[in-house]
Amino acid sequence: MLRLENIAKVFRTDEVETTALNNVTFEVKNGEFVAIMGPSGCGKSTLLNIVGLLDNPTSGMIYFNNTLVSGYTERKRAEMRKKNIGFVFQNFNLIEELTVFENVELPLIYLGVPVKERKPLVNEVLDRMQIAHRAKHFPLQLSGGQQQRVAVARAVVSNPTLILADEPTGNLDSSNGKEVMEMLDELNNNGTTIIMVTHSRHDAGYANRVIRLFDGEIITENLQTEKFL
């Protein structure tokens, strides 16, 4: 599904040059659950932005479904994202002025799905995430765990082949965090590929493979034969 070859990302100002990623190479196959770990500032979020086609690398190649996508214009990257990738963020990134239903509906609007088709799709995923009873509420009326349920629902409503999760339990207590990880695990068991950035060893235990970054480079890459549940 996804292959990165010799990826580098350098941020430059007039006085400073910072290498965020250096010679990063790895592959993610369909149906994998991959956790990316490492200390703050090691390049995890930069890598996720590049994998999610939110940014282009300074050098190196990215293949998505055997198509070379590094170097794409923002417009072409946006098209690829809309059709293939769902995002789950630590801070939820819900739109406060929209209801739960409207937040989850947004990706379908961007994809041009007709109104009559959107409603059953949204209701189905809200039921699946056990948040349908809050469909008419606004984000600020929800608990952190409920907001993350809505964020996951929004990420999966368009049935993406890949979900990128950036510290998905970082702002949740242990109980709500466990529920979110179980949701991601269920999605993965049903065939969705997941790449997750996390500081949590517990959350990483749900993954099939753990990639560890340090100073912008991969230092270890370990398969996990059994998930930690």
Side-chain angles (χ1 to χ4, degrees):
M1 165 182 275
L2 179 72
R3 188 167 82 254
L4 279 68
E5 296 182 358
N6 303 315
I7 294 298
K9 182 65 178 181
V10 179
F11 295 99
R12 295 184 176 93
T13 66
D14 291 339
E15 299 178 353
V16 179
E17 180 175 288
T18 303
T19 299
L21 296 172
N22 182 32
N23 197 34
V24 171
T25 296
F26 68 91
E27 184 174 356
V28 177
K29 296 179 180 179
N30 280 319
E32 276 198 288
F33 190 151
V34 177
I36 300 174
M37 301 189 73
S40 297
C42 72
K44 300 188 303 297
S45 293
T46 299
L47 180 58
L48 206 67
N49 285 340
I50 288 174
V51 169
L53 306 180
L54 295 170
D55 196 5
N56 267 326
T58 304
S59 62
M61 294 179 288
I62 307 170
Y63 294 87
F64 195 93
N65 291 332
N66 295 318
T67 299
L68 181 64
V69 298
S70 48
Y72 267 17
T73 63
E74 169 53 30
R75 183 173 181 176
K76 292 188 71 173
R77 294 202 309 269
E79 286 298 314
M80 288 288 291
R81 288 196 301 270
K82 286 192 298 184
K83 295 176 182 178
N84 297 284
I85 304 173
F87 294 87
V88 180
F89 301 97
Q90 176 178 348
N91 295 320
F92 319 133
N93 284 15
L94 301 177
I95 299 176
E96 295 178 1
E97 294 79 10
L98 300 182
T99 64
V100 164
F101 185 98
E102 292 166 339
N103 267 282
V104 176
E105 185 184 29
L106 270 179
L108 301 178
I109 294 174
Y110 294 149
L111 285 169
V113 177
V115 175
K116 291 182 179 180
E117 296 178 24
R118 294 201 300 263
K119 185 173 181 179
L121 289 172
V122 174
N123 286 332
E124 179 184 354
V125 76
L126 289 178
D127 281 334
R128 186 177 173 189
M129 298 299 155
Q130 300 178 17
I131 198 69
H133 62 294
R134 295 286 196 173
K136 295 182 180 180
H137 288 72
F138 293 91
L140 292 180
Q141 296 174 301
L142 308 178
S143 69
Q146 289 171 332
Q147 289 187 60
Q148 194 62 296
R149 284 179 178 273
V150 177
V152 173
R154 181 184 58 191
V156 304
V157 69
S158 59
N159 196 30
T161 56
L162 173 64
I163 288 180
L164 302 180
D166 191 0
E167 298 282 0
T169 67
N171 285 334
L172 303 177
D173 60 33
S174 58
S175 177
N176 284 317
K178 181 180 179 182
E179 288 185 8
V180 167
M181 289 309 305
E182 288 176 348
M183 282 190 288
L184 292 176
D185 188 55
E186 179 186 353
L187 290 168
N188 178 244
N189 289 336
N190 289 329
T192 303
T193 305
I194 298 176
I195 301 175
M196 175 182 67
V197 162
T198 182
H199 280 100
S200 168
R201 290 184 178 181
H202 178 273
D203 291 356
Y206 285 82
N208 306 116
R209 183 156 50 106
V210 177
I211 295 172
R212 294 183 182 274
L213 290 180
F214 187 77
D215 286 349
E217 299 183 3
I218 294 177
I219 56 171
T220 62
E221 187 173 351
N222 298 317
L223 291 175
Q224 301 191 136
T225 55
E226 293 185 6
K227 292 187 177 184
F228 174 77
L229 298 176

